[in-house]
Amino acid sequence: MEANKKPLLGLSLYELKEVAKSLGMPAFTGGQMAKWLYTQHVREIDDMTNISKANREKLKEEYYIGCMPPADCQKSVDGTIKYLFPTDNGKFVETVYIPDNDRATLCVSSQVGCKMNCLFCQTGKQGFEGSLTAKDILNQIYSLPERERLTNIVFMGQGEPMDNLDNVLKATEILTADYAYAWSPKRITVSSVGVKNKLKRFIEESECHVAISLHSPIHEQRAMLMPAEKGMAIEEIVELLRNYDFSHQRRLSFEYIVFGGVNDSTSHAREIIRLLNGLDCRINLIRFHQIPGVELHGADEKKMESLRDYLTKHGIFTTIRASRGQDIYAACGLLSTAKKEATDRL
């Protein structure tokens, strides 16, 4: 980060026009900046060659691009790559690139650590160390070496997106805006454990896909696994979702980590069917990856398939999500920069 200067990355077209006007430039210069940023991905203000040298010098006095390359990366045997990106406040976040034939998905983070403290999640064990700015969220895409190959983005990395809603909405606005990345919102999925008032606002202000972390249909058990259940119960989440139309292009999914002997029974399946009855949605069953100090274990493959088949037979389209990047701790629930943060404090 350049001392006393402000980043251009993460600014909307309106804000870029305001920057131009504040420096005595015509408003259309803001549009030129937007193209250089979000179409050309320039690294330096001097690369904005259709802006006059005098105006570039004015810009450089107060602003810089703001992109930061990954500080580290690890590659899995299955081709998954985990990147470590620096943030403006001196922290780090993990971002996972997942290639799969003609698809390439990026799992981005929205916070350093997380407040939700889900029992089964390594990020929650890290604690909460701050929310990312829109710039820090977008930098995970802007500075990704494989950026041009991306087909999908999922906000399923570190942090609870609804707990950083303003910056998540701003980032997704830039990703979908015609002046910037011009992605269809149907290429972006945002996950949530369910945060009262924030989830409703996200559904109404965004057209991106929605994924809800379910993990148990039973209130007491979900509260044990996910303390957020006490603030917004899964029954309340589902009732909210019933007010919106997910029968067309916008997709609603429920994420369900399957724990052996905990939430994998037929009675759990029946409760899921009761809970989601009439809701246009799908379920993604996820394998649990062991984390230290947690007495939970993954269900075996036979149990996973049995649960999938039972739910599908009863009208809920259900898949078993392929586990990727487990050998580099990039799989679901394993992301954490706690070790890096602790090392940096020494």
Side-chain angles (χ1 to χ4, degrees), residues 307-319:
L307 189 57
R308 176 199 62 195
D309 294 346
Y310 188 95
L311 291 169
T312 300
K313 180 181 176 182
H314 288 82
I316 302 177
F317 179 68
T318 304
T319 61

Side-chain angles (χ1 to χ4, degrees), residues 84-143:
L84 185 72
F85 279 103
T87 68
D88 260 355
N89 63 359
K91 303 290 186 180
F92 292 88
V93 289
E94 293 188 323
T95 307
V96 183
Y97 172 74
I98 310 164
D100 185 18
N101 297 320
D102 59 346
R103 288 169 59 89
T105 299
L106 189 69
C107 180
V108 301
S109 294
S110 56
Q111 295 180 315
V112 181
C114 186
K115 296 177 187 175
M116 301 300 121
N117 198 27
C118 295
L119 178 63
F120 47 82
C121 182
Q122 192 69 48
T123 306
K125 307 298 176 225
Q126 179 176 344
F128 177 69
E129 298 187 42
S131 287
L132 300 189
T133 62
K135 180 195 91 71
D136 286 332
I137 294 172
L138 288 171
N139 184 60
Q140 296 168 73
I141 300 147
Y142 198 98
S143 298

Side-chain angles (χ1 to χ4, degrees), residues 222-257:
R222 189 170 186 265
M224 182 269 293
L225 294 168
M226 306 168 65
E229 168 75 7
K230 298 164 190 172
M232 190 177 190
I234 191 61
E235 296 272 1
E236 190 178 348
I237 292 170
V238 171
E239 284 310 304
L240 170 66
L241 294 168
R242 290 189 190 283
N243 295 319
Y244 302 94
D245 184 5
F246 294 98
S247 63
H248 299 295
Q249 287 190 319
R250 190 177 197 182
R251 188 169 67 236
L252 170 64
S253 58
F254 289 86
E255 310 295 299
Y256 196 91
I257 298 176

Side-chain angles (χ1 to χ4, degrees), residues 21 82 113 133 289 342:
K21 288 193 285 185
K82 183 171 72 172
T133 62
H289 304 287

